[in-house]
């Protein structure tokens, strides 16, 4: 009969130290796969519990064990989340993270972090998403991806290649950071003034706007396309949130606009930019996702790891 593993206080201290060293990477991987701060936090907590109760004397590479555990847990959560999101009211957008105070979320590489890319990742199957994230955001070699996902190396290579092509076809190459910020500042100025003409001049002909309010009154429940309609929607924000404050903040590694009224965050807006102007607007308005943005700046350690 096998005796359950009973870690000593000393071994738990060492386990906690190792886990905390890897925690930013684990959260970064889980968040990119799931697009949710809360779900990523839960996955990382589950990974800690498994690490805590593992016979660590048999683990050759703790980092590999923790990453593998996190990825597999995230894939399981993503499979169930996909069904839940099919009943979501209106466009679903990821929960943004405040990378200005939590830079380790994107410390490996900035890839697969901006909201527009996370939206596209939702179109991939969870295993495809995990393979893409490991390769493009964390630079894992194909043989390690194969080991983590329990597939062949050739299959891992093909999955990453197909996923990369699909995302490249659907996402335009971004402009430089200075031009992105210039257009965002111009958008904020025009939206605050309700200047429809100025807004139209900033937008591309085929611009698309996505608003995530999960059924909130007054929030568009379908994707809005076209320069005129998108400009009208942006201009309406001034009437929808009169006397609101517009603050340029950082979210998911890039600039964003946080709209605050009466001390409460009401919307976070990010844009995507092509050679001819703003081609995408992403409005996060669901209260729980705005709370997740604030919480991402103050994520606490697992309770057991703090002891």
């Amino acid at each position: 009969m096998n005796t359950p593993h009973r870690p000593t206080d000393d071994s738990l201290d060492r386990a906690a130290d190792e886990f905390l060293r890897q925690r930013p990477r684990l959260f970064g991987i889980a968040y990119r796969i799931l697009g949710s701060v809360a779900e990523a936090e839960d996955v990382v907590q589950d990974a800690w519990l498994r690490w805590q109760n593992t016979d660590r004397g048999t683990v050759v590479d703790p980092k590999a064990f923790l990453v593998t555990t996190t990825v597999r847990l995230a894939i399981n959560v993503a499979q169930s989340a996909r069904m839940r999101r099919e009943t979501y009211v209106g466009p679903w957008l990821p929960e943004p993270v405040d990378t200005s105070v939590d830079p380790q979320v994107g410390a490996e590489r900035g890839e697969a972090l901006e909201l527009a890319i996370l939206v596209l990742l939702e179109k991939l199957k969870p295993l495809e998403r995990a393979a893409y994230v490991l390769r493009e955001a964390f630079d894992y070699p194909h043989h390690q991806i194969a080991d983590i996902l329990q597939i062949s190396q050739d299959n891992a290579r093909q999955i990453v290649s197909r996923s990369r092509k699909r995302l490249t076809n659907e996402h335009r190459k971004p402009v430089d950071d200075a031009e992105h910020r210039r257009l965002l500042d111009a958008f904020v100025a025009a939206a605050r003034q309700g200047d429809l003409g100025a807004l139209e001049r900033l937008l591309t002909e085929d611009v698309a706007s996505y608003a995530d309010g999960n059924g909130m009154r007054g929030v568009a429940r379908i994707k809005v396309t076209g320069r005129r309609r998108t400009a009208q929607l942006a201009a309406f924000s001034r009437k929808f949130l009169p006397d609101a404050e517009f603050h340029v903040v950082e979210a998911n590694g890039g600039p964003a606009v946080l709209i605050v009224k009466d001390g409460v965050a009401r919307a976070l807006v990010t844009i995507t930019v092509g050679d001819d102007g703003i081609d995408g607007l992403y409005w996060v308005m669901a209260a729980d996702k705005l709370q997740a943005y604030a919480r991402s700046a103050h994520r606490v350690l697992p309770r057991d790891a703090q002891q």
Side-chain angles (χ1 to χ4, degrees):
M1 181 176 179
N2 293 330
T3 301
H5 175 64
R6 298 180 183 278
T8 65
D9 289 343
D10 181 59
S11 69
L12 274 179
D13 287 343
R14 293 195 302 272
D17 289 343
E18 180 62 36
F19 178 80
L20 294 177
R21 280 195 293 273
Q22 302 303 328
R23 194 174 192 277
R25 172 185 290 251
L26 303 181
F27 179 85
I29 291 172
Y31 172 72
R32 285 168 170 85
I33 294 174
L34 297 169
S36 165
V37 173
E39 289 173 350
E41 287 173 338
D42 288 344
V43 162
V44 172
Q45 178 68 16
D46 285 346
W48 158 248
L49 293 176
R50 294 197 180 197
W51 176 238
Q52 185 181 18
N53 294 311
T54 292
D55 182 359
R56 291 177 296 279
T58 65
V59 177
V60 176
D61 186 341
K63 176 180 174 182
F65 175 90
L66 288 168
V67 168
T68 298
T69 300
T70 298
V71 170
R72 293 177 184 174
L73 287 169
I75 288 174
N76 290 339
V77 173
Q79 289 169 339
S80 60
R82 193 167 193 166
M83 291 184 287
R84 292 197 304 273
R85 288 167 191 172
E86 289 177 356
T87 61
Y88 200 79
V89 181
W92 179 91
L93 296 179
E95 294 176 358
V97 288
D98 186 347
T99 44
S100 68
V101 293
D102 195 7
Q104 288 182 312
V105 172
E108 297 290 331
R109 294 168 68 181
E111 279 80 356
L113 187 57
E114 65 174 286
L115 290 187
I117 293 294
L118 292 175
V119 170
L120 292 178
L121 283 174
E122 281 288 310
K123 298 182 179 182
L124 302 178
K125 295 177 181 178
L127 187 141
E128 295 172 330
R129 202 182 311 163
Y132 180 87
V133 165
L134 288 170
R135 180 62 182 164
E136 297 301 309
F138 292 87
D139 204 26
Y140 275 83
H142 292 103
H143 73 272
Q144 288 188 11
I145 296 173
D147 289 343
I148 292 170
L149 300 180
Q150 296 181 306
I151 57 178
S152 70
Q153 185 171 332
D154 285 344
N155 195 11
R157 194 184 309 275
Q158 291 170 3
I159 289 173
V160 170
S161 177
R162 286 198 307 267
S163 301
R164 185 189 296 122
K165 287 178 182 177
R166 182 171 181 183
L167 267 63
T168 299
N169 290 338
E170 296 193 42
H171 185 63
R172 297 178 184 177
K173 184 178 179 180
V175 300
D176 64 72
D177 293 344
E179 177 64 4
H180 188 126
R181 179 59 188 268
R182 184 191 72 79
L183 286 168
L184 181 66
D185 288 344
F187 169 79
V188 170
R192 293 186 70 173
Q193 296 170 12
D195 189 334
L196 192 60
L199 285 166
E200 287 191 36
R201 289 190 292 273
L202 295 170
L203 305 175
T204 64
E205 187 63 38
D206 60 348
V207 63
S209 177
Y210 306 82
D212 181 335
N214 195 18
M216 285 177 59
R217 183 180 178 183
V219 178
R221 299 189 180 187
I222 59 172
K223 176 176 72 172
V224 176
T225 59
R227 178 179 290 150
R228 183 71 178 179
R229 292 181 66 202
T230 303
Q232 290 172 337
L233 178 66
F236 179 68
S237 66
R238 181 169 176 264
K239 297 179 180 180
F240 184 62
L241 295 169
D243 303 319
E245 302 171 2
F246 288 63
H247 303 280
V248 176
V249 296
E250 183 177 312
N252 294 62
V257 180
L258 186 64
I259 303 177
V260 179
K261 180 175 172 58
D262 299 328
V264 178
R266 302 304 178 92
L268 185 137
V269 188
T270 65
I271 64 173
T272 54
V273 176
D275 292 333
D276 47 353
I278 298 172
D279 55 26
L281 284 164
Y282 299 83
W283 302 73
V284 178
M285 304 182 76
D288 59 334
K289 294 186 177 182
L290 294 173
Q291 291 167 3
Y293 175 75
R295 192 173 70 252
S296 70
H298 306 288
R299 290 203 314 278
V300 297
L301 303 179
R303 286 187 297 274
D304 291 338
Q306 296 181 59
Q307 297 175 357

